[in-house]
Amino acid sequence: MPIIKSAIKRVKTSAKAEAKNASQLSHMRTAIKKFDKAKLAGEGDLDKLYKDALSAIDRAHSKGLIKANKAARDKSRLAARYNK
């Protein structure tokens, strides 16, 4: 644990940001998995799940959690699975 006051604050801030980022990434992955599971099961609520997954990918990209190419790649793969 740091001794300097600003370093102590930085550790707390970093921990908070790390938890928030991990949660956001987890939300994105979960949205994609939910869509895939529904697609395989043949459920009818694909439109909403597809939009939720795209939104989660865009949100993760806008917050800098994933790079532009990964966001584009994930969205492309999602669209290919949606249209099959």
Side-chain angles (χ1 to χ4, degrees), residues 16-84:
K16 237 195 276 190
E18 187 178 331
K20 194 174 184 182
N21 291 341
S23 172
Q24 194 75 40
L25 275 175
S26 176
H27 176 72
M28 180 192 81
R29 291 185 192 117
T30 303
I32 293 170
K33 286 177 189 175
K34 280 183 183 177
F35 171 78
D36 287 340
K37 190 174 181 182
K39 178 71 175 172
L40 287 175
E43 295 177 9
D45 197 16
L46 283 181
D47 291 336
K48 182 182 181 319
L49 292 173
Y50 176 69
K51 288 179 184 176
D52 288 346
L54 285 182
S55 174
I57 292 169
D58 285 337
R59 201 173 311 113
H61 170 61
S62 72
K63 297 194 183 295
L65 302 178
I66 60 174
K67 296 196 175 195
N69 284 355
K70 177 167 172 53
R73 184 176 64 241
D74 286 351
K75 288 167 68 173
S76 175
R77 287 178 180 171
L78 209 60
R81 282 178 267 179
Y82 179 67
N83 293 327
K84 276 189 179 179

